[in-house]
Amino acid sequence: MQKLSLDFYKRDVHLVAKDLLGKIFVRKLSDKIISGKIVEVEAYDGSVDESAHSFNGITKRNQVMFKGGGFLYVYFTYGMHYCANVVTGNVKDGCAVLIRAIEPIDGIDIMAKNRFNKKILSEKEKINLTNGPAKICQAFNITIKENGISLTDNEIFIADNKSIHIDRIGISKRIGIKKSVDLPWRYFIKDNPFVSKK
DNA sequence: CCACGGATTGGCT
DNA sequence: GCCAATCCGTGGA
């Protein structure tokens, strides 16, 4: 399993978004690993996209989006949730990919504890572990502390997944936004049970 | 199963 | 002061 390099991230946000499907999102803890297959993402492009946090320029909150590809951008919203993004492209582009859903692989017991504070889960709770952007952050214990870390370091990174066949990719409008609502910039693996909607 | 609304805080106008 | 790239509990069918 090979960690993705900086070159992977420093490309067009839509290419990166589609290529992230099927890749393995990894968090290394001192003695354990949490990981899962990325099955749903959304692209945000600050140069043309009013719904991107970066659309109106650099602020304290969104500055990581302007640091160029390969950083993790984490934001806090709705007074209680965190969401994780992969910054793409070059410095000043203000582009990122929101990780919307993951299929758990390693450390499922840790995710279960982080999400529901118990070990034995119902079938519905198993699906509910990571089928949404804020659920992923809770399962992986990602908060604002992880905002701005480099994905080429060893704590949080994304790994290639050579064993995966080419899944059918679905494309749709993005979820939960009020501006630029018609842009078809959500990408997901068709028929994967962990995709958040439809 | 689905629709609805409350939670709760920090960023931005 | 407004409101958000969300989630979950509630209530009804």
Side-chain angles (χ1 to χ4, degrees):
Chain A
M1 209 161 65
Q2 184 66 40
K3 188 194 305 177
L4 298 177
S5 68
L6 214 45
D7 290 340
F8 177 91
Y9 300 105
K10 288 185 168 295
R11 297 181 296 147
D12 174 82
V13 64
H14 300 288
L15 294 178
V16 176
K18 282 178 264 196
D19 285 349
L20 279 174
L21 295 175
K23 300 290 193 289
I24 311 299
F25 188 84
V26 182
R27 173 152 210 188
K28 281 194 174 176
L29 304 175
S30 55
D31 55 342
K32 293 204 170 179
I33 287 181
I34 316 176
S35 75
K37 182 170 92 171
I38 298 171
V39 301
E40 178 186 350
V41 298
E42 284 176 359
Y44 288 85
D45 178 352
S47 66
V48 294
D49 174 7
E50 287 185 274
S51 69
H53 289 170
S54 51
F55 184 71
N56 289 312
I58 299 185
T59 67
K60 189 157 197 173
R61 178 207 206 193
N62 67 22
Q63 55 182 318
V64 172
M65 281 188 81
F66 293 91
K67 289 180 68 172
F71 290 97
L72 191 72
Y73 167 51
V74 181
Y75 66 86
F76 179 72
T77 191
Y78 291 105
M80 60 178 79
H81 296 305
Y82 297 96
C83 294
N85 301 249
V86 172
V87 180
T88 72
N90 294 305
V91 173
K92 299 271 183 193
D93 281 357
C95 291
V97 177
L98 172 68
I99 310 297
R100 281 200 59 91
I102 278 178
E103 177 177 332
I105 297 176
D106 296 308
I108 294 177
D109 55 330
I110 304 174
M111 297 190 207
K113 177 147 180 33
N114 289 344
R115 288 274 296 135
F116 303 111
N117 199 28
K118 60 181 185 181
K119 283 189 170 180
I120 310 294
L121 301 183
S122 69
E123 291 306 305
K124 190 159 194 172
E125 285 170 330
K126 288 178 188 172
I127 294 292
N128 260 310
L129 277 175
T130 51
N131 64 342
K135 298 176 188 178
I136 291 169
C137 285
Q138 194 182 2
F140 281 74
N141 193 26
I142 290 172
T143 71
I144 204 67
K145 287 200 294 284
E146 281 70 40
N147 184 37
I149 74 168
S150 170
L151 296 169
T152 56
D153 287 345
N154 266 327
E155 185 185 354
I156 297 175
F157 58 88
I158 301 172
D160 207 347
N161 186 9
K162 298 256 166 49
S163 67
I164 263 200
H165 64 89
I166 307 295
D167 291 289
R168 293 178 59 82
I169 294 179
I171 301 179
S172 77
K173 296 176 184 178
R174 295 172 294 179
I175 293 172
I177 53 175
K178 296 227 165 63
K179 301 171 187 167
S180 303
V181 292
D182 288 329
L183 295 174
W185 288 358
R186 171 174 176 253
Y187 308 102
F188 56 95
I189 295 179
K190 278 190 180 174
D191 302 321
N192 184 286
F194 290 88
V195 168
S196 66
K197 282 196 169 182
K198 213 166 9 177

